[in-house]
Amino acid sequence: MDYVPLTICFRSLKRLTVIDCCSHVPGDGFVIKAPSLKSLTIANKFSCCYSLVSMPYLVKADIKLQHGDSKNFKGWLNSAKHVSLCLQPPMDSCPIGIFNQLVSLNICTCSLDWCRLILRHAPKLRVLRFELKEVRLFPKQNPPFQRCCISSVDVQTPWEQLGSVPQCLISSLETVEWIGYKGTQAEKKVVMYLLENSPQLKTMAIRSLKSTKDSEKFKMLQELSSTQRSSTKCRLSFT
């Protein structure tokens, strides 16, 4: 039997939220044809998501998907000003376009590959936030529906140095936040890279896990405080 994706087709629709907490049959998914969208939220654990049209008026997008080929996101989000992503690793060979309007990017710590890729193509980015994403679909749901590529809090995508410093780091990035910082090697490399290569940076705010001991926090702060900063205006806060 051939499975036909669900098609969401409203040419004048401005706001769309797609939440899926139920298992679907293999091979299904959904297609979005809503070129007038300004706000898009997808929290989907089981289905694949595909788009057949661009969304030139999109301002805000919050995307959490467990399945789906990253090439399907080509052209989706390029007009958005505020983007939040929790996705499986992208295909570097697939061009994603330029995020000329993007000023705020919220990245799940399971999706560092996406961060590295988008930084190269977001020349106006001002705010960059890292945090482990959780979606609680129902108030009493326990545990919450988590969409992360990692199953252990101790495993994270390795951070690879960028070939050249992205334009946004040089000219526009002002604020970096890390919520739930654990001090892993991957996390330290990201924070140090941003401190060393962001001359416009004003704030580096790091919030450690609540379970972190004071002695561990002090050691983390020492490591980061000793990192050379390219911005003389940068204020490092660690809590």
Side-chain angles (χ1 to χ4, degrees):
M1 178 185 297
D2 293 330
Y3 297 97
V4 179
L6 171 67
T7 298
I8 302 170
C9 183
F10 295 96
R11 296 193 63 83
S12 61
L13 188 66
K14 305 296 184 183
R15 183 185 298 269
L16 176 63
T17 298
V18 181
I19 295 179
D20 180 1
C21 61
C22 302
S23 179
H24 280 63
V25 292
D28 78 342
F30 55 94
V31 171
I32 297 176
K33 296 181 179 180
S36 298
L37 276 183
K38 291 186 177 181
S39 176
L40 174 64
T41 298
I42 298 176
N44 197 282
K45 186 174 183 181
F46 298 101
S47 294
C48 297
C49 181
Y50 309 91
S51 175
L52 297 184
V53 298
S54 63
M55 300 175 187
Y57 305 106
L58 192 65
V59 175
K60 182 178 180 181
D62 188 349
I63 311 297
K64 302 177 184 70
L65 278 176
Q66 185 167 2
H67 302 294
D69 197 327
S70 59
K71 69 182 179 182
N72 292 319
F73 290 90
K74 180 182 178 181
W76 262 49
L77 310 174
N78 296 93
S79 66
K81 291 184 178 180
H82 310 281
V83 172
S84 179
L85 290 180
C86 184
L87 299 168
Q88 58 182 317
M91 296 172 56
D92 286 337
S93 60
C94 178
I96 62 171
I98 304 297
F99 293 78
N100 279 323
Q101 305 303 316
L102 188 63
V103 296
S104 175
L105 177 62
N106 191 322
I107 285 282
C108 181
T109 50
C110 76
S111 306
L112 292 183
D113 279 335
W114 276 102
C115 177
R116 191 165 53 241
L117 186 58
I118 293 177
L119 284 179
R120 298 191 189 115
H121 300 89
K124 299 178 182 178
L125 187 69
R126 296 201 304 266
V127 178
L128 177 59
R129 180 179 294 107
F130 300 90
E131 61 179 318
L132 186 66
K133 296 292 187 181
E134 288 187 349
V135 180
R136 188 178 293 276
L137 300 181
F138 302 103
K140 295 183 180 181
Q141 184 182 2
N142 188 26
F145 156 35
Q146 294 187 18
R147 214 320 290 158
C148 287
C149 294
I150 55 175
S151 58
S152 168
V153 295
D154 296 323
V155 180
Q156 291 199 359
T157 305
W159 174 263
E160 297 177 5
Q161 294 287 359
L162 297 165
S164 59
V165 179
Q167 181 60 40
C168 63
L169 268 62
I170 297 173
S171 61
S172 63
L173 187 66
E174 296 180 349
T175 302
V176 176
E177 297 180 22
W178 200 303
I179 301 172
Y181 185 81
K182 297 184 289 292
T184 66
Q185 287 299 316
E187 290 177 341
K188 284 189 291 186
K189 286 183 178 180
V190 175
V191 173
M192 290 178 176
Y193 179 83
L194 295 173
L195 285 171
E196 292 170 348
N197 294 282
S198 304
Q200 307 305 319
L201 195 63
K202 296 179 180 179
T203 301
M204 172 68 76
I206 298 177
R207 195 183 311 168
S208 61
L209 290 176
K210 293 181 179 179
S211 58
T212 306
K213 297 178 180 178
D214 289 342
S215 58
E216 295 174 346
K217 288 183 181 181
F218 182 70
K219 182 180 179 181
M220 293 176 190
L221 179 58
Q222 280 186 314
E223 291 175 336
L224 299 180
S225 297
S226 62
T227 302
Q228 184 176 359
R229 306 175 205 177
S230 61
S231 172
T232 58
K233 302 172 290 184
C234 180
R235 175 178 177 270
L236 173 63
S237 66
F238 192 105
T239 57

